[in-house]
Amino acid sequence: MSERVVIVGGGPTGMWLACELRLAGVRTVVLERDPEIDPHSRALTVHARTIETFALRDAHQGLLAEGGRIPSGHFAVLDDRLDFAELDTDFPYTLTIPQARTTELLQQRAVAMGADVRRGHQVTGCVDTGDTVTVSVDGPEGAYVLDAAYVVGCDGTRSEVRRCAGIEFEGTPSTALGVLGDVVLSDPPPGPVTSQWTTRGTFMLVPLSGGRHRIVVHSPEDLRDDWPGELTLEELRERVRRIAGTDYGMHSPSWLSRYSNTSRVARHYRKGRILLAGDAAHQHMPMGGVGLNVGVQDAMNLGWKLAATVRGRATDALLDTYHHERHPVGQDTIEHTQAQTAIMSVFSPQGAALRSLLGKLIVERPQLNDALAQRLSGLAVAYTLPGQRHPLAGCRAPNLKLSDAEQLFDLLRDGRPLLIDFGRVDGFASDRAAAPFDRYRCPQPVEQSRAAWADVSSALIRPDGYVAWASDDTDAAALTAGAANAVAALHAPQPAPVQPEGNHA
């Protein structure tokens, strides 16, 4: 059987998955129908957990060098923005960088790591035969066929891979639209972000590179399910003037577009040897710029599992956990974005009162600010791991300080599971328990400022930076046995509870 994985779709999700597979030595082909990277970037935002994801592989420096940093985020474009200052991360901000540039940087990395990236190659069909997947491709030099161990559809909301697999895309149709434009402003407002909500509509304005600005508008006339035609510069001007009293001298548009709140999630993220990630698995209103981020984190969750399965280091049950862990995240993303759409779409005095009340609660209740900020940034995502009872199990591991010279993220760059011995229990045979994975023993016990980690004796960290197992045990024999069992189970997990069928969107 072929050990090749074919990724259909060359956006950030597909490129990051290619990087992860190549890190594990898996033959990887990326098929992208567009001959060039689309210069029009609907996504501009890279959130904290996605920066951490890249940092786990030391792939974040280029993004940090080029992106703008905004120490806050928005929920439904409320006047009171979410403060990221208290987020428990090395990156307490939103990074603004066009998706086209993010894709370019990730593509460069994937190619440098040995991925076969083929642009201008459109997939016309794929068939799962049980032992392999046959992929039909229309390339610049004609049609051809590829055989693959697995195929991953990262090919957007109109996914050909999802169609071929017969996976239902369930949810709700559009009830609201929005418009956006990338323009030059003769009289731009000061500050990194400008936003305003009135009963006449709401808009947000964000500076881009090259002297351009992104303007996003949502108005009462957008509460409709039909598409009113192509957006024009004059329509965008009129909408912004109506809300802000000025159009900021906008001119020279490079992109004008409409979008909708159509919200759907794939019933299955895996069907046999075919898997889905990113927009092929979930579609939603682009509120808060979370779409790219959820897709990259899909790829991070899937990459190490798929690599371990292809290389024969894991049972098929590990690949099943991809759906069980990421499908609820897709559902949650739809809930989060639909709730914001509802708050933004009530253009009335009652809507103004609701927005005012929510804004006051965010300011008065720091816990609410923090909860929404963690959700928006992706830091709140945690997985349910069957059989694991420690409160850290399934949670993201922060960049813990392990010695004067090393932090946790430094030790995960090779994409292998890591057993950490915090040095608190004499006689703990962590070197034997860790085999065949990596093991790190703190040279001396390090005081952890985070209360949840203060008493942890040992923890097994997955390649995607989530805690597979943790223990506060102080008995050396019990700790050794517990760690060894956790290591053995990582690639042969217990089956997750069966979820009921139905429309969860």
Side-chain angles (χ1 to χ4, degrees):
M1 184 187 74
S2 171
E3 288 192 354
R4 174 169 52 201
V5 171
V6 171
I7 299 169
V8 183
T13 299
M15 290 303 175
W16 186 247
L17 179 58
C19 292
E20 285 296 285
L21 292 174
R22 285 303 304 147
L23 185 64
V26 175
R27 292 176 59 203
T28 305
V29 178
V30 180
L31 302 174
E32 168 54 53
R33 67 181 183 182
D34 292 335
E36 304 292 338
I37 296 173
D38 186 351
H40 300 136
S41 300
R42 180 155 291 174
L44 297 175
T45 306
V46 180
H47 285 299
R49 181 54 190 166
T50 305
I51 306 174
E52 286 189 344
T53 296
F54 296 145
L56 287 168
R57 304 293 186 258
D58 197 27
H60 61 307
Q61 297 298 346
L63 290 165
L64 294 183
E66 297 187 28
R69 304 182 188 189
I70 302 174
S72 62
H74 82 85
F75 182 81
V77 198
L78 296 177
D79 292 339
D80 300 286
R81 291 177 63 83
L82 303 176
D83 185 2
F84 288 167
E86 297 303 316
L87 290 178
D88 182 18
T89 176
D90 294 345
F91 313 105
Y93 45 77
T94 293
L95 197 66
T96 57
I97 183 170
Q99 177 177 324
R101 183 56 179 152
T102 301
T103 302
E104 184 178 18
L105 290 170
L106 296 182
Q107 177 175 294
Q108 291 170 358
R109 178 180 173 86
V111 171
M113 296 177 72
D116 180 0
V117 176
R118 305 180 187 181
R119 286 196 165 272
H121 292 246
Q122 182 165 358
V123 170
T124 57
C126 55
V127 178
D128 183 350
T129 67
D131 296 323
T132 188
V133 184
T134 302
V135 184
S136 300
V137 189
D138 187 4
E141 298 179 0
Y144 63 96
V145 172
L146 283 176
D147 287 331
Y150 293 90
V151 170
V152 185
C154 303
D155 50 340
T157 58
R158 296 182 175 89
S159 171
E160 175 67 13
V161 174
R162 189 184 64 237
R163 186 195 67 78
C164 290
I167 297 174
E168 297 89 343
F169 204 34
E170 303 168 323
T172 57
S174 171
T175 60
L177 305 179
V179 302
L180 65 84
D182 291 348
V183 297
V184 178
L185 302 182
S186 299
D187 185 24
V193 178
T194 300
S195 62
Q196 187 174 352
W197 183 95
T198 73
T199 56
R200 298 178 298 279
T202 183
F203 85 99
M204 179 176 291
L205 187 154
V206 182
L208 305 175
S209 59
R212 293 189 172 274
H213 284 75
R214 164 71 52 86
I215 295 180
V216 181
V217 183
H218 185 51
S219 304
E221 63 263 36
D222 290 324
L223 302 179
R224 56 198 295 173
D225 57 10
D226 63 315
W227 210 259
E230 296 296 319
L231 178 66
T232 66
L233 179 62
E234 190 50 45
E235 180 185 344
L236 183 62
R237 279 192 182 121
E238 191 278 330
R239 285 168 171 262
V240 175
R241 285 195 208 108
R242 191 190 319 157
I243 299 167
T246 177
D247 63 11
Y248 301 101
M250 70 174 71
H251 62 91
S252 305
S254 57
W255 189 36
L256 298 170
S257 181
R258 301 186 195 272
Y259 58 90
S260 80
N261 72 328
T262 301
S263 297
R264 305 187 190 281
V265 64
R267 177 176 288 191
H268 306 289
Y269 280 22
R270 178 195 180 192
K271 189 173 182 180
R273 293 184 175 276
I274 297 176
L275 302 106
L276 304 175
D279 291 347
H282 36 75
Q283 178 182 9
H284 51 84
M285 191 77 153
M287 290 293 180
V290 296
L292 178 153
N293 298 269
V294 177
V296 167
Q297 290 155 40
D298 286 345
M300 190 65 162
N301 184 286
L302 175 60
W304 68 275
K305 297 174 179 179
L306 185 53
T309 304
V310 170
R311 300 301 297 273
R313 298 193 300 263
T315 68
D316 198 59
L318 179 64
L319 206 50
D320 283 335
T321 67
Y322 169 62
H323 170 87
H324 293 301
E325 292 181 359
R326 294 304 298 177
H327 189 262
V329 177
Q331 294 174 315
D332 186 72
T333 300
I334 288 174
E335 180 183 68
H336 188 64
T337 52
Q338 288 283 56
Q340 292 183 73
T341 303
I343 295 168
M344 287 178 58
S345 299
V346 185
F347 297 105
S348 65
Q350 292 79 16
L354 173 62
R355 295 175 62 83
S356 176
L357 175 61
L358 288 174
K360 289 175 182 176
L361 290 174
I362 287 173
V363 173
E364 295 170 1
R365 307 287 179 92
Q367 301 93 331
L368 177 58
N369 174 90
D370 293 348
L372 291 174
Q374 288 175 23
R375 181 181 291 267
L376 178 62
S377 65
L379 300 177
V381 171
Y383 303 128
T384 299
L385 305 183
Q388 297 297 327
R389 298 182 179 179
H390 194 280
L392 287 175
C395 295
R396 142 198 171 269
N399 195 14
L400 299 170
K401 181 179 179 181
L402 301 176
S403 71
D404 290 339
E406 289 185 296
Q407 293 178 285
L408 175 59
F409 289 6
D410 300 329
L411 304 176
L412 291 169
R413 291 177 180 175
D414 64 358
R416 289 168 53 85
L418 176 70
L419 183 68
I420 304 173
D421 174 0
F422 287 96
R424 299 194 176 104
V425 179
D426 292 336
F428 172 32
S430 57
D431 53 345
R432 186 169 69 250
F437 299 154
D438 292 340
R439 167 256 192 184
Y440 179 88
R441 188 180 193 281
C442 296
Q444 59 185 21
V446 179
E447 287 295 324
Q448 300 296 337
S449 59
R450 300 167 176 87
W453 289 86
D455 298 322
V456 176
S457 304
S458 181
L460 179 62
I461 311 300
R462 305 188 331 184
D464 59 359
Y466 285 82
V467 179
W469 167 86
S471 176
D472 300 341
D473 212 317
T474 58
D475 178 79
L479 189 62
T480 300
N485 289 337
V487 166
L490 183 60
H491 284 163
Q494 298 180 32
V498 175
Q499 298 296 322
E501 296 283 346
N503 186 342
H504 304 290

